[in-house]
Amino acid sequence: MADSSFDIVSKVERQEVDNALNQAAKEISQRFDFKGVGASIAWSGEKIEMRANSEERVLAILDIFQTKLVKRGISLKSLDAGEPQVSGKEYKLFASIQEGISQDNAKKVAKIIRDEGPKGVKAQVQGDELRVSHKSRDALQEVIALLKGKDFDFAIQFTNYR
């Protein structure tokens, strides 16, 4: 019998991020405390750009955006926000969406599976994802439960369970 397997990935649904961004922009345009201050949030290439006339307002825009992401089921671990920067008379804050598991993080996850997981479970790094395989599906379920209990500094999802 062939081994059962699943993939550990770190992906973000771009459409959901777009929806969260549009909802945040709509709320910013309608909120009283953002009237007439030039507050905005929009895509700027691959990054998300937030602008306002004070540092506090830029951070408030970031908070609104984070709230919308959480409501859409996107982990905040995949959002990499910088520090507010002064640009002329306004403040800018850039944030990016992190996707894929880096080689170092994949090695950390593989080490946890080897050290704490059931015996005989294999974890292989494949590009920006990790393939976990074993003869027993129960062992794979144990690995998923083990990893869900850990707190990584990046978002993970489990896909292609077969």
Side-chain angles (χ1 to χ4, degrees):
M1 183 171 151
D3 284 1
S4 298
S5 67
F6 68 90
D7 295 335
I8 301 172
V9 297
S10 181
K11 293 198 185 319
V12 175
E13 190 70 41
R14 176 72 183 231
Q15 186 61 50
E16 291 296 328
V17 175
D18 261 351
N19 292 342
L21 185 114
N22 291 335
Q23 287 177 340
K26 185 174 182 179
E27 182 173 329
I28 290 164
S29 71
Q30 293 175 346
R31 269 181 46 171
F32 179 75
D33 53 339
F34 288 118
K35 292 280 187 218
V37 296
S40 67
I41 181 170
W43 283 105
S44 174
E46 284 298 306
K47 292 186 180 276
I48 298 162
E49 180 182 17
M50 293 161 253
R51 298 170 173 241
N53 66 351
S54 73
E55 187 173 351
E56 292 79 25
R57 286 200 173 108
V58 169
L59 293 173
I61 293 171
L62 176 63
D63 186 50
I64 291 168
F65 183 55
Q66 288 174 335
T67 304
K68 300 300 182 190
L69 286 174
V70 169
K71 283 184 180 176
R72 294 212 149 274
I74 297 172
S75 172
L76 292 181
K77 292 178 181 178
S78 60
L79 180 69
D80 181 26
E83 292 296 314
Q85 302 163 343
V86 178
S87 173
K89 291 184 177 179
E90 66 182 2
Y91 284 79
K92 289 183 180 177
L93 190 142
F94 289 97
S96 59
I97 302 294
Q98 302 295 326
E99 287 194 302
I101 300 175
S102 70
Q103 291 290 327
D104 292 341
N105 289 338
K107 288 177 184 173
K108 286 179 196 170
V109 173
K111 183 170 176 15
I112 289 172
I113 292 170
R114 268 196 319 276
D115 295 347
E116 301 175 32
K119 295 284 180 236
V121 174
K122 294 186 288 257
Q124 304 158 321
V125 178
Q126 296 181 333
D128 60 352
E129 59 185 43
L130 196 65
R131 163 109 357 124
V132 181
S133 58
H134 192 269
K135 287 182 179 65
S136 160
R137 286 178 169 243
D138 292 340
L140 295 180
Q141 292 287 347
E142 286 180 45
V143 170
I144 290 174
L146 168 74
L147 295 177
K148 282 185 177 177
K150 298 288 182 190
D151 185 31
F152 298 108
D153 56 350
F154 53 96
I156 60 172
Q157 294 90 29
F158 306 102
T159 60
N160 292 338
Y161 185 79
R162 41 179 106 102

